[in-house]
Amino acid sequence: MATLDLSNQRILVTGGAGFLGRQVIEQLCTAGAKREKITVPRSRDYDLRSLEACQQVVQQQDIVIHLAAHVGGIGLNRDKPAELFYDNLMMGTQLIHTAYQAGVQKFVCVGTICAYPKFTPVPFKEDDLWNGYPEETNAPYGVAKKALLVQLQAYRQQYGFNGIYLLPVNLYGPEDNFDPKSSHVIPALIRKVHEAQQKGEKQLPVWGDGSPTREFLYSTDAARGIVMGTQFYNDIEPVNLGTGEEISIRNLIELICDLMKFEGEIIWETDKPNGQPRRCLDIERAEQAFGFTAEVGFKEGLENTINWYRQHAT
């Protein structure tokens, strides 16, 4: 397995100031990258939906790791499908094209498991990616990100451009987005339980019926997987990053309530959407291709996330 020496590489990390991005930068440095050679374009300075901004940020870069995304939970997906499709497609497509034009050596694209078909057999294998349409609420986001895989494969075929595509499962961890308007399920539930405790409430309303299953990957594990892919993987096939462990939303909220010592009643709002019925990845390819396996146990990761939130909740 040929190793990409990161010590002399100029690396652009889009979304590098975000929840996952900060962890990726730490893992890059741990793997030998020089912090002063890592560039993080900020959205206030560069609107990556603009071709000109993409052309500017890729200049003089050896590696581009594309993490920037307009993303959120079921609520945001339902309210802003057009924005999610347009923003994610334009950012990714133009970055890939300008990186190729600028002579970037390697492009690492971080996709989404929202790209998988709604009824993908569990565990999701990478070869199932095209066997159906994604779950309706997150299809615009998922399809936009999946188009970037097609682009990278086409650019490899026609131009020999080295682009790889990684598919991390749902992420969680300290510093996650806890905004109720756009957060994903774990931070949303932690905040909801915390606020119920602060107000002395004895009931906790939760969307859906608790039946869907999800898989969660701790942010430092995800970042390590992305950096390992950057160092060791140079193939055309997409690669899942996950734990291979599945938990139902019902069991998840019970675990969070237990860890946070909330003893009230959970009220299932069955008129609200459930999202995709099951989600769990086949993680064999990542282990075989570049030796990645997750290290942080789920309960430990949840405790770390809860503790961080309680320390920073206003």
Side-chain angles (χ1 to χ4, degrees):
M1 190 157 37
T3 307
L4 177 59
D5 179 2
L6 298 178
S7 61
N8 294 312
Q9 303 290 323
R10 293 161 301 183
I11 306 171
L12 179 80
V13 184
T14 72
F19 163 54
L20 176 59
R22 289 193 293 271
Q23 301 286 355
V24 167
I25 288 169
E26 291 309 313
Q27 294 292 330
L28 282 168
C29 293
T30 300
K34 303 251 188 343
R35 201 174 289 268
E36 63 272 17
K37 293 196 170 194
I38 299 172
T39 303
V40 177
R42 301 304 298 267
S43 56
R44 60 174 176 263
D45 303 318
Y46 299 98
D47 181 347
L48 296 178
R49 296 170 300 181
S50 144
L51 181 64
E52 188 179 18
C54 291
Q55 287 170 330
Q56 289 173 340
V57 299
V58 298
Q59 293 305 317
Q60 310 298 314
Q61 300 297 330
D62 300 311
I63 300 170
V64 173
I65 300 177
H66 179 41
L67 307 173
H70 186 175
V71 64
I74 288 179
L76 187 72
N77 279 294
R78 204 171 58 168
D79 294 343
K80 299 192 171 178
E83 284 181 34
L84 290 171
F85 180 81
Y86 180 85
D87 292 355
N88 289 293
L89 185 69
M90 297 310 287
M91 276 196 289
T93 297
Q94 297 186 138
L95 264 174
I96 291 168
H97 187 65
T98 54
Y100 154 67
Q101 288 182 316
V104 167
Q105 293 170 26
K106 186 166 191 176
F107 194 103
V108 179
C109 187
V110 176
T112 172
I113 58 154
C114 295
Y116 274 102
K118 181 175 183 177
F119 297 109
T120 307
V122 170
F124 295 8
K125 294 183 186 299
E126 293 92 344
D127 296 342
D128 295 331
L129 206 49
W130 296 101
N131 292 347
Y133 196 70
E135 195 274 324
E136 294 78 6
T137 52
N138 53 38
Y141 173 65
V143 170
K145 296 291 268 186
K146 190 151 66 163
L148 306 180
L149 169 60
V150 178
Q151 184 180 3
L152 286 171
Q153 290 176 332
Y155 278 50
R156 182 182 289 269
Q157 184 183 340
Q158 186 171 343
Y159 305 132
F161 184 58
N162 186 13
I164 66 167
Y165 191 88
L166 306 175
L167 287 155
V169 77
N170 297 51
L171 305 180
Y172 73 105
E175 303 184 347
D176 203 343
N177 168 25
F178 288 84
D179 181 338
K181 294 189 188 72
S182 58
S183 58
H184 287 97
V185 61
I186 285 179
L189 291 173
I190 290 172
R191 179 175 179 141
K192 197 172 264 199
V193 171
H194 177 78
E195 290 181 349
Q197 288 175 315
Q198 297 298 103
K199 294 171 186 168
E201 291 170 354
K202 297 298 178 202
Q203 291 189 326
L204 189 76
V206 180
W207 277 25
D209 62 14
S211 66
T213 66
R214 293 292 179 264
E215 173 184 346
F216 297 97
L217 182 62
Y218 196 61
S219 54
T220 53
D221 275 337
R224 196 169 46 81
I226 289 164
V227 172
M228 290 175 77
T230 304
Q231 288 180 284
F232 303 123
Y233 188 66
N234 297 295
D235 212 338
I236 199 164
E237 299 301 333
V239 184
N240 289 334
L241 297 178
T243 62
E245 295 173 7
E246 188 177 15
I247 185 171
S248 71
I249 298 299
R250 183 177 295 275
N251 288 346
L252 170 66
I253 186 61
E254 286 171 358
L255 178 57
I256 288 173
C257 288
D258 183 46
L259 292 173
M260 296 181 75
K261 301 194 167 29
F262 176 78
E263 293 169 359
E265 181 190 4
I266 297 164
I267 307 294
W268 295 101
E269 299 184 308
T270 53
D271 58 324
K272 297 288 200 301
N274 266 330
Q276 193 164 17
R278 291 182 73 187
R279 204 178 267 178
C280 186
L281 300 184
D282 183 300
I283 55 172
E284 211 171 289
R285 185 175 287 173
E287 188 168 3
Q288 290 180 346
F290 48 90
F292 171 73
T293 52
E295 292 176 352
V296 179
F298 189 49
K299 190 175 174 186
E300 178 193 347
L302 272 182
E303 285 174 335
N304 293 344
T305 309
I306 290 164
N307 292 339
W308 183 89
Y309 180 69
R310 281 187 160 152
Q311 286 166 14
H312 293 84
T314 48

